[in-house]
């Protein structure tokens, strides 16, 4: 748990989310500003700032997150999907708690 981290607050339940999956290690919930008809985030319960902060000890967790993507995408009705991990400010990362975006079902324009 990292203070003032929005995703840690979602993990703890302090901030609500539209959860689509949860186990001991990860949660997945719909992005609040979707850029596709289906757009959810796969988030580890452990706070890790970004992909650039990952160490060898996180290998299994990262693998678990990626292996979940096709399973959850299928459950959400997607035949195919895009994945995205923004890393660092210059990589477009806004929330510094590592997450995998999963998007599909057609683009939505974003007003931001
Ligand atoms: P990043 O740019 O860090 O890869 O993506 C962060 C994503 O988190 C953005 O797509 C943004 O819409 C989403 N997001 C930010 N705050 C919240 C929130 O409070 N709830 C949910 N469900 N998504 C959020
Ligand atoms: Zn966090």
């Amino acid at each position: 748990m990292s203070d003032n981290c929005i995703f840690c607050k979602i993990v703890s339940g302090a901030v609500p989310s539209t959860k689509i999956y949860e186990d001991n290690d990860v949660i997945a919930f719909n992005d609040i500003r979707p850029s596709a008809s289906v757009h959810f985030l796969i988030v580890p319960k452990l706070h890790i700032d970004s992909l650039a902060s990952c160490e060898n000890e996180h290998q299994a967790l990262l693998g678990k997150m990626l292996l979940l993507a096709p399973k959850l995408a299928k459950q959400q009705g997607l035949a195919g999907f895009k994945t995205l991990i923004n890393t660092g400010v210059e990589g477009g990362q806004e929330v510094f708690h590592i997450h995998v975006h999963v998007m599909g079902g057609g683009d939505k324009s974003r007003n931001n």
Side-chain angles (χ1 to χ4, degrees):
M1 178 83 183
S2 177
D3 289 348
N4 296 321
C5 169
I6 187 71
F7 286 178
C8 281
K9 288 178 181 167
I10 287 175
V11 166
S12 75
V15 167
S17 68
T18 308
K19 215 180 288 177
I20 63 165
Y21 177 83
E22 178 168 18
D23 66 25
N24 287 337
D25 304 311
V26 303
I27 62 169
F29 51 86
N30 289 329
D31 196 295
I32 206 165
R33 289 180 294 135
S35 55
S37 299
V38 175
H39 183 174
F40 61 87
L41 306 172
I42 300 175
V43 179
K45 291 189 170 178
L46 177 70
H47 179 94
I48 305 168
D49 284 350
S50 79
L51 190 57
S53 309
C54 286
E55 306 282 355
N56 287 343
E57 67 191 87
H58 302 124
Q59 184 169 322
L61 183 58
L62 290 169
K64 181 169 187 172
M65 290 164 67
L66 282 183
L67 287 172
L68 261 174
K71 292 179 184 151
L72 297 181
K74 192 174 178 187
Q75 281 176 20
Q76 295 297 305
L78 297 176
F81 58 90
K82 297 176 186 177
T83 50
L84 175 68
I85 306 174
N86 292 324
T87 303
V89 172
E90 292 183 6
Q93 187 174 2
E94 292 176 4
V95 175
F96 280 78
H97 180 136
I98 190 174
H99 51 280
V100 178
H101 294 254
V102 180
M103 294 159 284
D107 287 348
K108 266 188 183 175
S109 60
R110 237 182 191 191
N111 296 315
N112 68 348

